[in-house]
């Protein structure tokens, strides 16, 4: 359904050779943005958890053995931790909205995030046998940008993390496509948008010409736009999304990044 996972491309060897200096550079950029956001939020009375330490500062963990017995995620959301931190098993997870009014849902996420790479309005997607189902799961692959080593990562796409994910599986959540209302996160392990988007990459997909929800403006979320008719916006929106996901993983989810490409 909507873009099946494809075979590996030797990504494990390539990732080992990727420019680690670039990863550190990305970390510095993200850390600078985090400091700026913390200063802004401190003025409004909200505090954000500090960013995890830079790549290479934590002890390295394996990724081939079984599921961790620990029932909680590490404090940094999987980007750091001591030797006793839980191992991460499984594909990275992208969460999409469950609300039918959202531009991207399980119905059309496979077309948008998969190999078709095109926005298909919900009413049109419902007529396609490849459409996803609410409450289900899609598995698809996406090629990593060459500057981060190339290769492919296989992702799981879901819309119901409160019922589908165990506590330790939240370590695998790398991105959340939000619908612009905080009630989307009710019952989630991280239900506060400030904390949620310090642990995951946040993205909002809106229709061209539509007003961006006011509540969204205070969150650490990037905004993309698509059109019902103009497909040229699809590539711009997708490039912004995937660049954000990959840079977030390179800094905060290195073990999962390597496990997925190994």
């Amino acid at each position: 359904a909507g873009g099946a996972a494809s075979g590996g491309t030797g990504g494990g060897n390539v990732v080992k050779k990727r420019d680690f200096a670039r990863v550190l550079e990305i970390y510095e950029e993200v850390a600078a943005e985090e400091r700026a956001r913390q200063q802004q939020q401190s003025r409004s009375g909200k505090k954000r958890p500090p960013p995890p330490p830079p790549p290479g500062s934590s002890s390295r963990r394996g990724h081939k053995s079984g599921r961790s017995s620990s029932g909680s995620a590490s404090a940094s959301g999987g980007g750091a931790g001591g030797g006793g931190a839980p191992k991460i098993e499984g594909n990275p997870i992208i969460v999409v909205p469950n609300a039918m009014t959202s531009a991207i849902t399980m119905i059309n996420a496979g077309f948008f995030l998969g190999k078709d790479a095109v926005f298909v309005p919900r009413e049109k997607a419902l007529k396609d046998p490849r459409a996803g189902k609410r409450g289900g799961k899609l598995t698809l692959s996406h090629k990593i940008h060459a500057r981060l080593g190339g290769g492919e990562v296989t992702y799981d796409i879901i819309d119901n993390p409160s019922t589908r994910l165990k506590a330790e599986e939240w370590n695998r959540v790398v991105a959340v496509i939000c619908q612009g209302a905080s009630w989307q996160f009710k019952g989630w392990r991280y239900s506060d948008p400030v904390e949620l988007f310090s642990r995951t990459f946040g993205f909002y997909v809106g229709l061209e010409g539509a007003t961006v929800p006011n509540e969204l403006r205070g969150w650490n979320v990037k905004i993309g736009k698509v059109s019902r008719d103009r497909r040229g916006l699809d590539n711009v929106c997708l490039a912004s999304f995937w660049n954000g996901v990959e840079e977030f993983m390179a800094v905060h989810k290195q073990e999962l990044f390597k496990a997925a490409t190994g």
Side-chain angles (χ1 to χ4, degrees), residues 192-237:
D192 174 43
V194 174
E195 182 177 16
L196 175 66
F197 295 121
S198 71
R199 295 176 177 271
T200 66
F201 172 68
F203 199 76
Y204 171 79
V205 180
L207 289 174
E208 182 184 27
T211 302
V212 175
N214 288 330
E215 190 173 8
L216 185 75
R217 298 182 186 278
W219 302 347
N220 180 21
V221 169
K222 283 190 175 183
I223 297 174
K225 291 294 184 80
V226 293
S227 171
R228 287 185 173 276
D229 306 309
R230 297 197 301 152
R231 297 282 60 83
L233 288 179
D234 296 351
N235 289 335
V236 176
C237 184

Side-chain angles (χ1 to χ4, degrees), residues 20 35 39 43 52 59 61 96 109 118 156 158 182 192 211 232-233 236 251:
F20 196 70
R35 288 192 293 270
Q39 292 174 358
R43 290 193 291 269
S59 58
R61 304 190 300 272
V96 300
V118 62
D156 290 338
I158 64 172
S182 58
D192 174 43
T211 302
L233 288 179
V236 176
V251 174

Side-chain angles (χ1 to χ4, degrees), residues 7-112:
T9 58
N13 293 332
V14 177
V15 169
K16 292 179 181 178
K17 297 178 182 179
R18 74 176 186 270
D19 188 353
F20 196 70
R22 173 57 184 162
V23 175
L24 288 173
E25 181 182 342
I26 294 172
Y27 170 80
E28 292 300 332
E29 294 174 357
V30 173
E33 294 177 358
E34 289 288 341
R35 288 192 293 270
R37 279 190 287 270
Q38 287 175 4
Q39 292 174 358
Q40 180 179 1
Q41 290 175 351
S42 64
R43 290 193 291 269
S44 63
K46 294 182 179 181
K47 295 183 179 180
R48 175 188 299 279
S57 64
S58 61
S59 58
R60 310 187 71 82
R61 304 190 300 272
H63 58 268
K64 294 183 179 180
S65 57
R67 187 179 302 275
S68 168
S69 60
S70 172
S72 61
S74 64
S76 67
K87 298 176 182 178
I88 303 177
E89 179 187 78
N91 298 328
I93 294 171
I94 297 172
V95 182
V96 300
N98 183 266
M100 293 185 293
T101 55
S102 297
I104 301 298
T105 66
M106 287 296 294
I107 303 299
N108 58 2
F111 303 108
F112 190 60

Side-chain angles (χ1 to χ4, degrees), residues 141-174:
S141 297
H142 184 78
K143 188 172 183 179
I144 302 171
H145 195 283
R147 64 187 169 84
L148 293 176
E152 285 190 343
V153 176
T154 300
Y155 298 88
D156 290 338
I157 316 296
I158 64 172
D159 67 353
N160 56 345
S162 59
T163 57
R164 180 177 287 275
L165 298 182
K166 298 178 181 178
E168 65 269 21
E169 291 178 312
W170 276 91
N171 253 354
R172 296 165 49 203
V173 178
V174 297

